[in-house]
Amino acid sequence: MNKTLRTRIAIALVVLILAYAGGIRISHPHSGLKNSLGSAQSGLVVYKTGSDFAKDAKVIVKTEEKDKSPVLAFVVAVNKDSYDIQSDAAIVRVQKDQAKGKLILMVPFLGSFFGLVGL
């Protein structure tokens, strides 16, 4: 391996470690909001961990339905210890600790590959 390739790999690893330490995560939603490039299942989402969100925030949430979790959803209402979220036609109440984080970026089409391998 030449020196420039090793340097690039080292820089990429440092960036990934710093992003993880800063609360940046990647997830593959199994259901949720759709956009012009496809459904939530067909993409990967980059999100910032946390559990304190405002109304209209796009969030990643673990739900009781294991086959549809995690879900990409809007926060419709903020309650004392729960959120009302909307991911399709229905509004569902989830506890604040079920919220994984706030959406930063959605990368379309890569989720289809991860769905094929079972992730």
Side-chain angles (χ1 to χ4, degrees), residues 11-26 46-49 104:
I11 290 171
L13 285 174
V14 168
V15 168
L16 288 173
I17 290 168
L18 289 175
Y20 188 83
I24 305 297
R25 305 286 191 273
I26 297 174
V46 178
Y47 66 95
K48 173 97 168 108
T49 58
I104 296 173

Side-chain angles (χ1 to χ4, degrees), residues 36-102:
S36 61
L37 295 175
S39 64
Q41 309 75 297
S42 69
L44 289 179
V45 289
V46 178
Y47 66 95
K48 173 97 168 108
T49 58
S51 61
D52 189 26
F53 307 110
K55 183 180 177 205
D56 295 330
K58 293 177 187 168
V59 295
I60 305 297
V61 179
K62 284 187 178 183
T63 61
E64 304 299 324
E65 300 176 53
K66 296 298 180 193
D67 60 329
K68 292 187 176 184
S69 184
V71 175
L72 179 60
F74 278 113
V75 174
V76 178
V78 178
N79 306 309
K80 182 179 177 183
D81 59 347
S82 64
Y83 295 114
D84 294 340
I85 61 164
Q86 181 175 5
S87 61
D88 46 25
I91 295 175
V92 178
R93 182 163 288 174
V94 296
Q95 298 302 313
K96 285 192 175 184
D97 62 348
Q98 290 177 269
K100 294 172 66 173
K102 184 176 181 181

